[in-house]
Amino acid sequence: MNILILSAGTRNKIVQYFKKIIGGNGKVIATDMSDIAPAVYEADKFYKVPRMTADGYIDVIFDICKKENINGVLSLIDPELSLLAKHKEDFAKLGVTVIGSSYELCERALDKMEMFDWLTNHNFKCAKSYTDKEKFYADIDAGIITYPVFVKPVRGSASISISKVYDKETIELLFDHNDNLMIQEYLDGQEIGADVYIDMISGDVVSIFTKKKLVMRAGETDKAVSFKDKKLFDLIDKFATESGWSGQIDIDIFDVGGEYYISEVNPRFGGGYPHAFECGCDHISLILNNLLGKANERNIGNYDSDIYMMKYNEIMIRK
C-alpha cells in the first residue's frame, strides 16, 4: 500500500503515523514545493514539486503516482483539496484513490458564505454572516446582531486576514480597502474541534473525536483537552451525513450557552489530529481499510475524556 501525501509542510506527525501503520507493507511518499519542509524527511521518499498553481502541476503529481505505484493520495492544505477532487477520475484511471470529499464540498468548505447558506438552509445553528453591509447595519439597528463581529475574507483559511471589529467605521475602512469580505457574528463560547472519519465505502460516520480548544495559534489548536457528549456526536453524525462528506474531515464548532454552532469544515487532517490518534482514534487504519476495499465498522467516542494535548516546538537539522 503506497500513499502519496501532498504539501506535507510541517505535518511531521501525519507522515509518521502513516509510516507506522503501513509498516513494511508499503511506502509513504511526500511532496512539497520546498526542500526544507521538515515533514518530507519523515517519508520514505520525497519529491520537490512546483507550486500547486503552476501550469502542469497536476501532471507532475500524475507522474509521481505512476512512478511510485501510488494507491491513495491526499493533501494537507485546503486549496489543493479541490484540485484533487476535480481530477478524481483521472487519478482513478491510474489506480489511485483520492482520499477526500467531492469537488462541490471542497469548494463549499473554502467559501464561508456558501457554507453559511447551506447550514441555515438545513437548520443547523451557525454564526450569522453577511456580505451586504447594509443588511448587517439594519440587523444591528434591529438588535438581531451586536458588536463585536469578525470581518474576514469569504474564501480563506488558517485565520489569515481576520479582524475583530467593534464599530461601523472600522467595517467601512476594511471594506474600502479589500474585496470579497464578509461580516460574521462573534460567537462567545467554548471552541471545539472534531476529528471525524466518514467511511469512503459505506458513507457512514464511523469515528468521531472531540476536544475543547484551550489555546490557539495561527488558526491551529495549540492546547486542547478531550471530552465526550452524545448530543454533540449526534449533531456531527447528522451534519456529516446530510452534507455527504467523505474520508477525513476536521470540524470547528462553538458551544454557546449549551447550544452547538457549526463554524467551519476542513476536509482533511486538521493540525490537531495527533490528539485524536494518540487517544486511540486511528483514522490512518480506517483509510487503509477503505483503500483495500473494506468498509469500517462504526466506533464512535471510543476514547478517554480529560486527556490533554500540548504542542511544543521541535527542530530538524539537515545537511
Side-chain angles (χ1 to χ4, degrees), residues 28-92:
V28 177
I29 313 299
T31 73
D32 201 273
M33 59 181 250
S34 169
D35 56 8
I36 53 172
V40 301
Y41 293 103
E42 306 281 0
D44 294 301
K45 194 170 183 179
F46 156 55
Y47 285 87
K48 184 178 178 180
V49 297
R51 186 179 295 273
M52 63 154 287
T53 53
D55 290 340
Y57 171 80
I58 197 67
D59 293 317
V60 172
I61 304 305
F62 290 153
D63 287 343
I64 295 171
C65 288
K66 288 184 280 190
K67 185 175 180 179
E68 301 295 341
N69 297 312
I70 297 298
N71 302 103
V73 60
L74 68 147
S75 176
L76 298 181
I77 61 170
D78 294 321
E80 199 164 28
L81 302 174
S82 294
L83 180 65
L84 291 182
K86 187 176 182 179
H87 290 278
K88 182 178 180 179
E89 295 304 319
D90 297 320
F91 279 106

Side-chain angles (χ1 to χ4, degrees), residues 1-5 14-30 42-47 63-74 99 284 288 291:
M1 183 64 65
N2 299 327
I3 299 293
L4 178 60
I5 301 176
I14 300 299
V15 180
Q16 290 171 12
Y17 294 153
F18 269 98
K19 283 196 66 177
K20 177 181 178 180
I21 299 303
I22 290 175
N25 297 315
K27 297 180 297 182
V28 177
I29 313 299
E42 306 281 0
D44 294 301
K45 194 170 183 179
F46 156 55
Y47 285 87
D63 287 343
I64 295 171
C65 288
K66 288 184 280 190
K67 185 175 180 179
E68 301 295 341
N69 297 312
I70 297 298
N71 302 103
V73 60
L74 68 147
I99 301 162
I284 311 297
L288 298 183
L291 293 179

